[in-house]
Amino acid sequence: MEHVKCLIIGSGPAGYTAAIYASRANLSPVLYEGPQAGGQLTTTTEVENFPGYPDGVEPFQMMDDMRRQAERFGTEIRSGIVTKVDFSVSPKHVWVEDTEELTADTVIIATGASAKYLGLPSEKEYKGRGVSACATCDGFFYRKKTVAVVGGGDTACEEALYLSGLCQKVYLIVRKPYLRASEIMQKRVREAENIEILFEHNTLQLTGEGKVEGADLVFRKGEADERQVHIDINGFFLAIGHHPNSDVFKDYVQTDEQGYIITQPGTPLTNVEGVFAAGDVADPHYRQAITAAASGCKAAIEAEKYLKR
Ligand code: NDP
């Protein structure tokens, strides 16, 4: 059976940064890319807030740069999805695609999170062309335009407020007759002059020629006063929650009630010795490429320290 010193699972900014640091520390890391090579970032159109790219960069280019940097120092990058682990033994056992089994002294989990989508066919059609799940990443492209945010929680309110500072108008599409966000966020949203809350509305479909130009909504579906509403928008932002990609590890690694891996505050240390978590899979708050990269760096440094011990 193949044995590795440092196994990295995931190929977003956290995984690749961990790989750069681990390979420079001679840990000969092996990295499995997972189902979405390059991670969540590759679903956005352009990255303008990652330091070092003054003119912005295409996400695929940036992830390819990170990948080549990791390879340059000797990381072995493989395609494949980790489907099963056993962290009760040392070294840890990991299965790829249920069949290939390997053992690892240290494991860095950098599997990220996946934004939840409504499941409309038109969401897929317009992904990257008006549909986004990250206002901080993509909001800038909608300056002085009209956008909609879906959701009634803290994330939706935060995204709507962020976008209200950039856009001419923001619709907040909420399926219930109330917001579930914290009082303070609700107050801020209600006080923002250019945010219009559409309570009891659900999205039926997005419309537009090659990009989002509008949305068909339904008000109070199934009720006597049900009616269809059309709004003209340039951007459609999902803020209905994220799934941290932690299911495979849950039998061993502690997670919170949403599934985010719990780490010791300010560190990538999980409850399992030799297993570290970096990036969005352990971060319900910031979810930025730069914060993920930073935590990947910390995870590799901790893996090295663990191996030395
Ligand atoms: P939440 O689960 O709190 O809210 C999700 C929202 O999306 C709800 O309003 C929900 O509606 C709505 N929703 C879910 N599915 C659909 C659907 N299919 N169609 C339409 N609407 C849908 O997720 P958040 O990401 O907002 O927050 C997650 C956690 O993170 C929360 O605990 C939150 O407090 C926290 N958080 C804290 C922040 C802060 O403190 N600054 C910032 C961001 C998040 P419904 O209400 O009807 O279920």
Side-chain angles (χ1 to χ4, degrees):
M1 198 186 305
E2 183 187 9
H3 178 75
V4 297
K5 275 197 269 190
C6 178
L7 183 76
I8 300 168
I9 311 172
S11 58
Y16 281 142
T17 308
I20 293 164
Y21 275 76
S23 46
R24 291 188 82 248
N26 279 335
L27 304 189
S28 313
V30 168
L31 179 149
Y32 278 93
E33 283 182 322
Q36 190 176 19
Q40 271 189 90
L41 209 61
T42 56
T43 63
T44 66
T45 38
E46 198 181 348
V47 181
E48 291 186 327
N49 53 7
F50 200 92
Y53 292 102
D55 302 318
V57 60
E58 285 195 7
F60 282 104
Q61 181 64 54
M62 187 170 114
M63 298 321 297
D64 192 52
D65 288 347
M66 287 192 195
R67 181 194 167 100
R68 285 192 295 117
Q69 197 171 351
E71 279 177 327
R72 183 182 150 208
F73 297 111
T75 302
E76 191 181 330
I77 296 170
R78 301 177 183 170
S79 54
I81 301 172
V82 168
T83 46
K84 194 173 134 191
V85 297
D86 182 355
F87 290 164
S88 66
V89 287
S90 195
K92 282 88 190 147
H93 282 238
V94 172
W95 285 261
V96 179
E97 319 284 2
D98 283 332
T99 49
E100 193 187 336
E101 186 178 352
L102 55 149
T103 55
D105 293 321
T106 59
V107 176
I108 297 175
I109 302 170
T111 44
S114 308
K116 291 184 194 163
Y117 285 81
L118 295 171
L120 307 172
S122 47
E123 269 173 334
K124 281 204 188 108
E125 190 186 332
Y126 297 111
K127 207 162 170 184
R129 287 179 294 143
V131 172
S132 168
C134 179
T136 326
C137 320
D138 296 332
F140 193 67
F141 303 111
Y142 300 92
R143 272 172 305 165
K144 299 195 168 63
K145 297 194 170 162
T146 299
V147 298
V149 176
V150 187
D154 279 317
T155 303
C157 289
E158 260 191 13
E159 305 268 90
L161 283 164
Y162 177 80
L163 290 165
S164 73
L166 295 168
C167 302
Q168 190 196 345
K169 166 137 193 167
V170 179
Y171 291 104
L172 185 58
I173 304 171
V174 183
R175 66 179 173 184
K176 294 226 172 96
Y178 55 86
L179 293 168
R180 85 150 69 170
S182 52
E183 283 301 324
I184 183 154
M185 294 304 283
Q186 293 196 29
K187 185 166 177 287
R188 286 185 194 154
V189 163
R190 287 180 205 279
E191 284 174 358
E193 280 177 6
N194 59 347
I195 299 180
E196 181 180 340
I197 308 177
L198 301 175
F199 285 114
E200 296 185 81
H201 282 72
N202 277 290
T203 311
L204 295 174
Q205 63 164 349
L206 301 169
T207 58
E209 289 289 319
K211 60 182 190 316
V212 170
E213 290 171 343
D216 292 329
L217 314 178
V218 57
F219 172 68
R220 285 173 61 81
K221 186 168 171 46
E223 303 298 326
D225 55 351
E226 171 182 329
R227 64 171 193 274
Q228 286 208 17
V229 179
H230 179 82
I231 52 172
D232 290 326
I233 51 168
N234 308 103
F236 185 76
F237 288 83
L238 280 308
I240 59 171
H242 282 77
H243 289 297
N245 300 321
S246 62
D247 288 354
V248 173
F249 315 104
K250 271 184 176 163
D251 287 345
Y252 305 96
V253 174
Q254 264 177 14
T255 56
D256 67 11
E257 68 278 3
Q258 295 174 68
Y260 288 97
I261 294 177
I262 297 171
T263 56
Q264 285 180 27
T267 80
L269 305 179
T270 70
N271 60 306
V272 183
E273 286 223 351
V275 175
F276 310 92
D280 287 14
V281 73
D283 177 10
H285 296 295
Y286 300 107
R287 300 196 290 243
Q288 299 299 300
I290 189 70
T291 50
S295 65
C297 157
K298 290 185 195 175
I301 291 172
E302 290 297 340
E304 188 193 1
K305 268 171 41 186
Y306 173 83
L307 286 168
K308 274 194 182 139
R309 277 206 305 274

